[in-house]
Each structure stands twice: as structure tokens, then as C-alpha cells.
Amino acid sequence: MARPFETHDITNQSPPFVDVDLYATDRALGDAVAAAGHGAEADALSAFGRHWGRADLAEQARLANENPPKLKTFDAKGFRRDVVEFHPAYHGFMAESMSAGLHAMTWNADGTHAGNEASRAARYFMTAQVENGHMCPITMTRASVGALAIESKLLAAWLPKIASRHYDPSFRPWWEKSAVTIGMGMTEKQGGTDVRANTTTATVTAAEGDEYAITGHKWFMSAPMCDAFLVLAQAPGGLTCFLMPRFRPDGAVNGLRFQRLKDKLGNKSNASSEVEFVDAFAWRVGDEGRGVRTILQMVQLTRIDCVISSAGMMRMALAQAVHHARHRNVFQRRLADQPLMRTLLADMALEVEGATALMMRLCRSVDLAPGDAAEAARVRFLTPSAKYWVCKIAPGFTYEAMECLGGNGYVEEGVLARLYREAPVNAIWEGSGNVVCLDVLRALGREGEAAREVLTSLVKDADGLPGAAEVAADIATLMARPDVESHARRAVEGLANLATAAALRGSAPEVVAEAFAKSRLRHRHGPNYGASDLSAREAEDLVDRALVA
Ligand SMILES: Cc1cc2nc3c(=O)[nH]c(=O)nc-3n(C[C@H](O)[C@H](O)[C@H](O)COP(=O)(O)OP(=O)(O)OC[C@H]3O[C@@H](n4cnc5c(N)ncnc54)[C@H](O)[C@@H]3O)c2cc1C
């Protein structure tokens, strides 16, 4: 036997969690996919799961994040370049995700929804377990169609390039490329939430009135090598949405001047720029003054991806923790068999069961929404609620999983440290915690009747689960209070957990839905895991389901 060290043999270290089928090992995902009507895709999803679970992709993810992108503002002679160079591993992930269609598979050729949101979500969820930075442009490109749909001419020109599955990272005019990606620029220095305070201005340049010159800045604009950006700027008629390409229609480089890249906590493989627009060419998207309404069509979809991506990160953190606990002995006993560790892992598994079921149920609502007003109402109320809840719990969850691996969890060679640094971003962008809670309140206030119907249907779905009726009553009471804004988080947390219990009722075994409701509806779950009142049997079942041997 090889003895790599002179003083000791290496024993009791868990093997790397690689070369696994990310789909077949995840019973919660399989159940949620079946409940969403996509059980027939199991073989294809399993092939996808095996591919994304490969050791070499895990290694590429490490490389993409250890070699962050570099901004090349000027060339050696002082001419502006304004390009960002990425590590080949990043390009590899872009090519993988685009060939799988994650950036566009939900759209028909005319820009209508293809009804396969849940099917894409299952794939996106597995991808999020491996590499997150590249998913930013994948998400924005997919969501851009929601906003572009309002301008049929622009949509007809751009959608074929958006839908193409042949990633093309070259810096060339979009019409010469095999495929394009689209970013978004809303946030300015003086305000990200309050985009009405935007100072960037837009002036009409063409007689027909849909071509503008834009001057100003954006304080955050991610994935700056996208081929175009949906941007908000102040036109004479008010805040308006625009499509700003990297190249002007005459083939010249457009007036986007990148100032620097953000030095971020996580999300290292992705570039996030500060940018100035100098008379930058752009087409108007939607009417002047309707910018927020137009771009919200995009934001609704990016928020759904934030939910899927956070759930995916939690899933990988859980799988790493369970895998480690099954291979590590402490005091002559496997960690996974120690009663306290088993309760902890089971409580964490329950959280991921919930997040998985909620995300898939929400995506099913997106699929059903075009012909079903009740499902459309669910999408409006539950997207910001799920965005708030799942993205908010992910950082604490990844920390707890890290601790399950002990000291190994804290070092950079492992995947937990990266997940931990990545996790907070989904809660901050695309509407921070308070902002999405206020969005839920606004939607509930604007559409009182539809809101009551959604609440009633959730209670019906969760019928008989402990605490469901009480949580629904609490939400209704909070909604009637004049100071409801101060209690928005409590109302939204209740709504998200109620929707989760209802989703679990429809997809997971009854024992899972019961355990979730007991510990998250009847009792308020604390910030830490492992304190839920789970029986030994429940704990064993949950951990078995969490990582199928
Ligand atoms: C890595 C990264 C990448 C990003 N990429 C992009 C991008 O590509 N394009 C883009 O446009 N933006 C991007 N952003 C910006 C992001 O969307 C904003 O940071 C976010 O919207 C918050 O805006 P802000 O930073 O101005 O904070 P603020 O709007 O100042 O908010 C600060 C805090 O106040 C809270 N708050 C706001 N209003 C209220 C209220 N009425 N009541 C109670 N609390 C409130 C918020 O929840 C938040 O916690 C990115 C951010 C990050 C971190």
C-alpha cells in the first residue's frame, strides 16, 4: 500500500463527492419533477445529472472561480478596449449551459412561453450545484425575452440569436455572431432599489423615435461581455427601458466605458462592472415612462432563477454534508449514525426538501399561468415570497453544512467555502429582502380578492397539516393591520412556509410534509438546524431520501 507520508497513513477522510448522478441521488428532486408532470423525463434528467456530477466539471468550477475575469480597459498604446477576459473554464461552462438550452429553452420561436419552466428548473437546479457565476448571464439572457416581447421588431431580430445554442464569446457585432447573451443595467450609485432616482439620460436621435443616445452610468452591471443590455434611463417621457448593444448598427464599438470590475465576496467567476455610457446607442423597449413596468417582466424571471439557484446551492451543501457524515468516523462510530448528527442532517434535509418542492411548484405555476388565472396569481404572489425566503435561508444553511465537515469545510479546496461566499448574492440582487417583501405586500394590497384566493388554495392544498390554518390566519390578520409594512417579513415568511408545506403535500411523502409543517408552521423554526422535534424514524427516512446511496 502506498504510504504518502513518512509518519502516518491517511485514513478516515471522506472521498470527494464527485462522479455522482445529481438527479438519481436526489429523491426530493425526482418527486418534485414527477409532481410537476415531467416524470417521463427522468432518464434525460439522470443523464444531465451524471454529466454535471462529473469530477472534471467540479475541477473546472474551481478553476473558473480561482481565476476571476480581468478588465482590459486600454491596449498597450492607450486605445480603449473595454473588454473583459475570462478563464477558459468560464467559457466552458457558458458553452455547456447554452448547449443545454438553459438560456432560452423556455421560449417558442415567437417569444411566447413554451411551458417547460419546470423541466428547465430541474436542469438549472443541478447546474447551480456545480458553478454559479456563469449562470448570471444565462439567467439574464433567458429573462431578457420577457422584456423584449413588448417590441415585436426587436424581438424578431434578436430572438433567433438569443435562442441559438452555439455559445460565441467573440467580441463582434451581434449580427455576425452565432449566438448572443443579454445583460441588464438598472443600478446607479445613488440607488439600486429606487431606480426612479436614475440620472442617466436618453435623447431621441432618429426620426422614427425608437433610437436614442444614452449618457450616464451604472454602478453594477454584471456580465459586461454580453452582446447587449437592457438598461433604464430617463427619457423626456420618464424612466424608460432600452436595449443597448455593444456595437452600434454601423459596426463601430458602442459607447460603453468600463471603469473597473467589482472585487466581490463571492460570485468570482462572473464579472460585475462599473460602467459609463458616453452617447451610447440604444433602442427604446416599450413606451417612454414605462421602464419599470417593462423591465419587471425580466425581473420576475430572474427572481425565479434566484430561487432555483439558492435551492441548488443548498442541495449541494446538504449532499456534501451527508456524504461526509457517512464516511467519517468519530469515537468509533460513523458521524451519520450519531443521533445528534442524524437529527441535524434530517432537519437540513427537510429544509432542502421544502425549497425543492416550492421551486418546482412555482415553476409549474409559470407553466400553467397562460391559461389559468389562479396559477397566474400564484406566480405574482409567490415569486417574491419564494425569492425572499429561499435566498434568505441559503447563507445560514451553507454555513451549517460547512460545519458538518468540520475544519475541512472551512478551507478553500473544498466546495463549501465557495458556496458560503456565493450564497448571499441571490438575496441582495434582483430585489433585496425588504424590497421583495414590500413587493408581496403591494401585490396583496392591489389584488385583495386574488390574494385571498391564493391563500385559500394554499390552505386547501395543505389541508390537515399542523399549523397551516393558523399561519394563514396570522397572514390575514397581519394584512389587515395599518402597520403591516413593519411586519412584512413575518407575513412573507408565513406565506413562503405555507406555500412550501402545500407544495410538499403535492410532491413528497406525507411524512415529509407533516414533519415540515410540524417544525415550520406549528412551531417557528429557529435560526439553527437540528432543534426540530423529529423522531429517529423520521430522521432516518429524511437522510435516506436526501442522498440515495
Ligand atoms: C454581485 C452583484 C451583481 C450585480 N449585478 C447587477 C446588474 O447586473 N445589474 C444591475 O442593475 N444591478 C446589479 N446589482 C445591483 C443590485 O441589484 C443592487 O445592489 C440591489 O438592487 C440593491 O440596491 P442598492 O445596492 O442600491 O441598495 P439600496 O437600494 O440602497 O438598499 C439597501 C437596503 O435597504 C433595503 N431597502 C430598500 N428600500 C427599502 C424600504 N422601502 N423599506 C425597507 N428597506 C428598504 C434593501 O432591502 C437593502 O437591504 C448587482 C449587485 C451585486 C452585489
Side-chain angles (χ1 to χ4, degrees):
M1 185 178 142
R3 296 176 67 90
F5 288 89
E6 288 179 19
T7 57
H8 64 283
D9 291 334
I10 300 177
T11 62
N12 202 22
Q13 290 281 28
S14 57
F17 181 66
V18 290
D19 291 327
V20 287
D21 180 337
L22 299 177
Y23 186 74
T25 50
D26 184 350
R27 198 154 283 160
L29 178 61
D31 287 350
V33 165
H38 293 275
E41 285 189 57
D43 286 347
L45 290 171
S46 210
F48 191 90
R50 280 193 302 279
H51 181 71
W52 281 88
R54 277 174 14 196
D56 60 315
L57 285 196
E59 173 62 5
Q60 291 299 306
R62 182 186 69 77
L63 287 170
N65 284 278
E66 285 186 4
N67 296 282
K70 294 193 181 94
L71 172 62
K72 301 288 171 184
T73 318
F74 301 99
D75 71 8
K77 309 290 177 189
F79 292 99
R80 287 209 76 106
R81 287 189 66 208
D82 292 298
V83 295
V84 178
E85 289 176 357
F86 292 84
H87 189 269
Y90 170 90
H91 290 302
F93 281 110
M94 287 297 292
E96 287 277 358
S97 286
M98 287 183 71
S99 76
L102 298 183
H103 67 301
M105 66 185 278
T106 51
W107 303 116
N108 291 318
D110 62 355
T112 53
H113 197 277
N116 53 4
E117 191 75 20
S119 166
R120 171 185 180 268
R123 290 170 172 81
Y124 192 97
F125 177 76
M126 289 187 266
T127 306
Q129 295 175 40
V130 182
E131 209 294 306
N132 300 95
H134 84 283
M135 302 186 82
C136 172
I138 295 292
T139 282
M140 293 192 293
T141 303
R142 184 297 265 254
S144 67
V145 177
L148 288 173
I150 201 168
E151 290 292 342
S152 54
K153 244 171 68 185
L154 276 181
L155 186 74
W158 283 79
L159 189 53
K161 298 281 183 190
I162 290 173
S164 163
R165 295 191 178 201
H166 304 287
Y167 174 54
D168 182 347
S170 62
F171 185 48
R172 284 186 295 154
W174 62 275
W175 58 90
E176 292 177 7
K177 294 183 59 164
S178 61
V180 298
T181 52
I182 312 278
M184 96 171 31
M186 297 189 287
T187 308
E188 297 186 2
K189 287 173 183 154
Q190 69 281 0
T193 304
D194 186 8
V195 288
R196 293 194 185 279
N198 274 191
T199 57
T200 297
T201 55
T203 337
V204 185
T205 55
E208 308 87 70
D210 59 353
E211 295 183 6
Y212 288 68
I214 297 193
T215 300
H217 82 283
K218 294 294 161 189
W219 181 229
F220 281 89
M221 198 169 82
S222 289
M225 289 309 281
C226 283
D227 297 283
F229 301 86
L230 282 152
V231 162
L232 290 180
Q234 301 286 359
L239 195 66
T240 305
C241 182
F242 296 91
L243 182 69
M244 180 187 286
R246 281 303 310 269
F247 286 82
R248 305 171 68 91
D250 63 5
V253 176
N254 204 2
L256 289 81
R257 309 275 188 258
F258 296 118
Q259 305 300 301
R260 58 177 175 169
L261 298 185
K262 300 288 189 187
D263 184 5
K264 296 175 287 185
L265 168 69
N267 198 247
K268 296 279 186 189
S269 66
N270 180 33
S272 299
S273 71
E274 295 165 17
V275 60
E276 291 205 22
F277 304 140
V278 183
D279 268 339
F281 171 89
W283 294 281
R284 180 171 42 74
V285 181
D287 292 338
E288 281 193 8
R290 308 275 290 175
V292 173
R293 187 169 284 256
T294 304
I295 213 154
L296 269 182
Q297 303 306 314
M298 177 173 185
V299 171
Q300 180 88 337
L301 295 170
T302 56
R303 285 181 178 177
I304 290 175
D305 278 3
C306 288
V307 176
I308 308 169
S309 149
S310 287
M313 283 190 262
M314 287 165 61
R315 163 66 198 166
M316 178 49 85
L318 173 70
Q320 295 275 352
V322 173
H323 173 79
H324 180 77
R326 283 183 181 159
H327 289 89
R328 179 84 168 172
N329 283 299
V330 177
F331 303 127
Q332 286 87 48
R333 204 172 171 194
R334 280 193 329 155
L335 266 180
D337 296 332
Q338 312 259 4
L340 182 51
M341 180 56 96
R342 199 171 47 212
T343 309
L344 170 61
L345 292 173
D347 199 21
M348 293 169 68
L350 200 48
E351 198 80 296
V352 179
E353 286 260 7
T356 308
L358 178 64
M359 120 203 149
M360 289 304 283
R361 182 63 185 87
L362 177 62
C363 290
R364 180 164 162 71
S365 291
V366 175
D367 283 335
L368 299 173
D372 185 329
E375 293 293 339
R378 277 190 182 226
V379 175
R380 290 198 297 283
F381 301 131
L382 298 185
T383 299
S385 310
K387 159 56 164 103
Y388 169 76
W389 181 247
V390 178
C391 299
K392 187 65 74 187
I393 57 178
F397 187 94
T398 50
Y399 149 66
E400 193 68 68
M402 179 191 287
E403 193 174 308
C404 292
L405 274 75
N408 287 353
Y410 194 70
V411 299
E412 291 290 345
E413 278 95 347
V415 71
L416 264 309
R418 191 171 79 234
L419 287 176
Y420 179 68
R421 282 187 276 98
E422 184 74 31
V425 74
N426 281 336
I428 292 173
W429 64 19
E430 305 307 315
S432 317
N434 287 354
V435 173
V436 279
C437 286
L438 295 175
D439 278 357
V440 178
L441 283 197
R442 261 190 297 276
L444 292 172
R446 225 179 15 239
E447 303 180 69
E449 192 46 42
R452 269 186 292 281
E453 280 169 20
V454 169
L455 211 50
T456 307
S457 76
L458 291 177
V459 174
K460 198 164 145 236
D461 290 353
D463 184 33
L465 288 177
E470 290 80 356
V471 166
D474 187 45
I475 297 167
T477 308
L478 288 169
M479 287 305 300
R481 281 172 63 158
D483 61 346
V484 57
E485 186 171 327
S486 313
H487 305 285
R489 282 191 177 218
R490 179 164 153 189
V492 173
E493 286 184 18
L495 188 57
N497 278 313
L498 179 61
T500 303
L504 283 170
R505 179 43 97 49
S507 65
E510 185 66 10
V511 61
V512 176
E514 281 271 344
F516 185 91
K518 242 180 9 183
S519 56
R520 271 85 172 160
L521 295 182
R522 192 169 67 193
H523 301 293
R524 231 182 144 74
H525 198 268
N528 296 327
Y529 293 91
S532 295
D533 184 19
L534 296 168
S535 70
R537 185 63 223 232
E538 283 171 328
E540 203 174 311
D541 286 354
L542 280 162
V543 179
D544 283 352
R545 280 175 58 77
L547 194 60
V548 179

